[in-house]
Amino acid sequence: MSTILVPLDGSPLAEQALPHACRLARASGSSLHLVRAALPVADPDAGTTSRSSVQHAETYLGNVRDRLRTEGYAVNISSLYSDPVPGILLAARVNGASLIVMSTHGRTGLRRMVLGSVTERLVQDCHLPVLVVNNDSCSVAPEGRYQHILVPLDGSICAEAALTTIIAMQLEHDAHLLLLRSVPPLGGAAGGYASGAYVQPDLLDEDQQRLEAGQYLDLIAARYLHGQRFQTRVVAEYAAKAILDAIAESQVDLVVLATHARHGIDRFAHTSVAGHVLHHTGTPVLVVHGTDTDAESPPLRAEPSREERFSDDCLFV
């Protein structure tokens, strides 16, 4: 990791992303790049007003930069003369950012924010990992590390991007990882919809599904987690609820969730797994955009299991 981009808007709520960004910067040796949008004013005399807006943004960012530099961080700043989303995406590209860390203003995750908000649009449109923090998240010490990381997996190569990202960001050191796999519960909405995903009729008994899911998690752990502390868990539950239950039950302080590379306005709907989790948790969520065609990570078996062929419930966004 080289540069962590942190969008700010001048509010204390937005600055709640900073401890998380500082924690990751210290762990990885990365620099921080702070950005703030200075929106143009639609007025014939907007020149002076717009310049004033940019100057205000630069003054604010400069003060935050100076404070962080006294704490030992490498920090740069940019004020953006644009709408927030395209400006942030451009700043990430120009500055070679490898991660965006930003706060939401929702009381619980994104659930009180309208679709199309800055955070939600960035999670949709940015190809970089995005760490979403909200004002319900516990405060963190910059020198500390995440202690309990939840990694939901669905049996796809795409979902494994969560683990490769964890390793690349060195998050696994001194952390306990919980690898979670859900299987559709028997008798639940067979042949219908559950949490926004179509569920095929049950084709395997629950014991067989759990056995195959557990074997999959063991193989994944052997592949990625050499010498690391981890636990595997298989639950008969729909994916979004399984994730939220695990957050509540296991003192999770970070969720790393890979999404499938899909396009269109509905790919981050409230009813998708990642969208549902972000709307209903106060725990920081690192959203990673995976791909189903990752040649560097071969499948664990030549043919998919019956569970993977016939159940779509565990697939993420």
Side-chain angles (χ1 to χ4, degrees):
M1 187 184 302
S2 56
T3 301
I4 299 173
L5 192 78
V6 186
L8 299 171
D9 63 7
S11 70
L13 288 176
E15 291 185 19
Q16 291 190 3
L18 287 173
H20 294 267
C22 289
R23 165 188 277 191
L24 294 170
R26 186 176 293 275
S28 63
S30 301
S31 63
L32 299 172
H33 196 103
L34 314 179
V35 297
R36 181 177 180 184
L39 294 176
V41 179
D43 185 274
D45 301 322
T48 302
T49 305
S50 295
R51 284 195 296 271
S52 175
S53 178
V54 172
Q55 290 170 356
H56 180 74
E58 290 177 344
T59 299
Y60 165 75
L61 291 174
N63 291 335
V64 179
R65 175 198 59 199
D66 294 344
R67 171 166 57 86
L68 292 176
R69 282 181 174 177
T70 63
E71 298 174 5
Y73 298 99
V75 187
N76 295 303
I77 62 172
S78 295
S79 55
L80 311 172
Y81 187 70
S82 71
D83 290 328
V85 173
I88 292 168
L89 292 174
L90 177 62
R93 184 168 66 251
V94 169
N95 294 284
S98 53
L99 172 70
I100 296 176
V101 180
M102 66 184 305
S103 176
T104 75
H105 289 261
R107 181 168 296 177
T108 303
L110 306 179
R111 73 181 181 188
R112 292 180 180 266
M113 302 180 70
V114 297
L115 185 66
S117 66
V118 172
T119 304
E120 195 158 343
R121 288 169 60 197
L122 277 173
V123 171
Q124 290 184 66
D125 298 336
C126 184
H127 70 282
L128 298 174
V130 180
L131 177 59
V132 179
V133 180
N134 67 68
N135 61 341
D136 280 344
S137 299
C138 298
S139 59
V140 296
E143 66 276 8
R145 287 183 174 271
Y146 298 104
Q147 299 297 315
H148 297 89
I149 302 176
L150 175 64
V151 187
L153 297 166
D154 66 4
S156 70
I157 296 173
C158 167
E160 295 176 31
L163 285 168
T164 58
T165 300
I166 287 171
I167 293 169
M169 294 172 60
Q170 304 179 48
L171 296 175
E172 79 279 16
H173 299 304
D174 302 322
H176 183 277
L177 273 63
L178 174 57
L179 308 184
L180 177 69
R181 179 75 187 270
S182 65
V183 298
L186 292 178
Y193 283 84
S195 299
Y198 182 75
V199 182
Q200 294 283 352
D202 298 307
L203 300 175
L204 297 175
D205 62 72
E206 187 172 305
D207 289 341
Q208 182 65 23
Q209 291 188 55
R210 286 177 175 269
L211 176 62
E212 291 190 6
Q215 291 172 340
Y216 162 78
L217 292 180
D218 290 340
L219 289 170
I220 285 292
R223 171 182 287 175
Y224 291 99
L225 303 179
H226 307 291
Q228 301 299 325
R229 293 187 301 157
F230 70 90
Q231 175 186 356
T232 62
R233 181 181 301 175
V234 177
V235 295
E237 186 54 86
Y238 298 112
K241 187 175 187 305
I243 295 169
L244 294 172
D245 288 347
I247 292 171
E249 296 167 2
S250 302
Q251 298 181 316
V252 171
D253 53 11
L254 177 67
V255 181
V256 183
L257 178 61
T259 68
H260 286 250
R262 298 182 182 177
H263 302 282
I265 191 63
D266 63 340
R267 70 174 179 163
F268 198 73
H270 176 78
T271 51
S272 71
V273 174
H276 191 85
V277 171
L278 282 168
H279 278 82
H280 290 85
T281 186
T283 299
V285 179
L286 176 59
V287 181
V288 179
H289 296 283
T291 173
D292 290 314
T293 58
D294 185 356
E296 296 182 1
S297 181
L300 292 175
R301 49 185 174 269
E303 296 294 331
S305 70
R306 287 175 293 171
E307 176 191 352
E308 291 168 347
R309 290 198 302 268
F310 296 114
S311 174
D312 187 50
D313 178 65
C314 292
L315 296 182
F316 301 147
V317 181

